[in-house]
Amino acid sequence: KQEVTQIPAALSVPEGENLVLNCSFTDSAIYNLQWFRQDPGKGLTSLLLIQSSQREQTSGRLNASLDKSSGRSTLYIAASQPGDSATYLCAVKAGANNLFFGTGTRLTVIP
Amino acid sequence: NAGVTQTPKFRVLKTGQSMTLLCAQDMNHEYMYWYRQDPGMGLRLIHYSVGEGTTAKGEVPDGYNVSRLKKQNFLLGLESAAPSQTSVYFCASRQGQVDSPLHFGNGTRLTVT
């Protein structure tokens, strides 16, 4: 069974810092990998989706990379802002209809 | 567009009671999913549907039933609630292409006493 791990579980940084969130998975046979953002009491919002054939995706200040062979992905956030405070989850699509989720990294950006 | 709407937002049940959670999407998505989110665990798939009139089991289907009578609605039922079903339930939907992203509702927080 696919297992997805996110380390660290929580991270606090001062505003303006660049930061990297990590995601690792055990089975490299994936269709794609998605990064989500979850605000307290809310659902998940899709940030970036990387197909298995891609190495990275960018959206604004966010850049996600994928190294399928090593089972790793990173989410890079440039020039962090207090509004970036949220829990970030990664999920790998290992079958047509199932995503395996990590437990998330709770990010706090301190003004 | 409202996106994915879940009702109710909160519910408290006693052990053995039944209830139905409703998920509605207005994006004409083919695929719909029910997940549960528990502390210290990633979201886990309960049931899903690949189109109107179809349903299938996910990773943790026991104790739940689903129905997809209309394309825009996906219902999750608990026939006899148990404390282990205390969780936050999320509905999600997506288009038919395999790499289309998931769109989530805001969740239903269920407590079973």
Side-chain angles (χ1 to χ4, degrees):
Chain A
K1 179 191 166 184
Q2 179 77 261
E3 292 187 4
V4 181
T5 303
Q6 292 185 248
I7 295 173
L11 179 66
S12 290
V13 300
E15 181 178 1
E17 272 204 5
N18 304 323
L19 61 101
V20 174
L21 305 179
N22 297 297
C23 172
S24 61
F25 48 96
T26 54
D27 188 342
S28 61
I30 64 171
Y31 285 89
N32 61 47
L33 183 144
Q34 278 187 252
W35 282 94
F36 293 89
R37 169 187 173 134
Q38 185 175 26
D39 293 287
K42 299 291 186 182
L44 283 67
T45 300
S46 181
L47 297 173
L48 290 164
L49 184 151
I50 311 176
Q51 298 183 21
S52 61
S53 58
Q54 296 177 320
R55 298 284 291 183
E56 64 178 338
Q57 280 284 352
T58 298
S59 176
R61 295 183 292 110
L62 305 180
N63 175 276
S65 68
L66 174 64
D67 184 341
K68 218 172 58 159
S69 60
S70 68
R72 294 181 187 277
S73 175
T74 61
L75 178 67
Y76 174 83
I77 302 177
S80 58
Q81 302 170 357
D84 294 330
S85 297
T87 297
Y88 291 81
L89 298 99
C90 70
V92 296
K93 190 167 190 178
N97 284 296
N98 200 5
L99 285 180
F100 291 91
F101 285 83
T103 52
T105 294
R106 188 172 67 252
L107 173 66
T108 302
V109 180
I110 304 164
Chain B
N1 283 346
V4 179
T5 303
Q6 292 183 233
T7 53
K9 291 183 170 55
F10 303 93
R11 185 71 186 268
V12 178
L13 288 179
K14 295 187 187 303
T15 297
Q17 287 185 322
S18 64
M19 77 163 295
T20 300
L21 282 66
L22 172 63
C23 176
Q25 52 93 4
D26 61 2
M27 297 172 283
N28 202 33
H29 285 172
E30 290 292 332
Y31 293 72
M32 297 187 74
Y33 303 82
W34 277 107
Y35 287 90
R36 59 178 289 173
Q37 186 177 37
D38 301 292
M41 306 183 72
L43 276 78
R44 292 179 293 167
L45 182 64
I46 305 171
H47 285 280
Y48 65 96
S49 168
V50 301
E52 182 178 321
T54 73
T55 64
K57 294 180 181 179
E59 182 185 357
V60 288
D62 294 342
Y64 305 95
N65 57 75
V66 288
S67 65
R68 183 102 181 265
L69 299 179
K70 294 183 179 180
K71 185 177 183 179
Q72 63 268 34
N73 295 336
F74 195 28
L75 279 62
L76 178 71
L78 286 73
E79 290 186 347
S80 180
S84 61
Q85 294 178 303
T86 293
S87 187
V88 181
Y89 292 85
F90 287 100
C91 176
S93 69
R94 68 174 177 90
Q95 294 178 333
Q97 296 90 336
V98 66
D99 283 331
S100 54
L102 277 178
H103 298 259
F104 280 83
N106 284 337
T108 294
R109 183 174 295 276
L110 174 66
T111 302
V112 183
T113 61

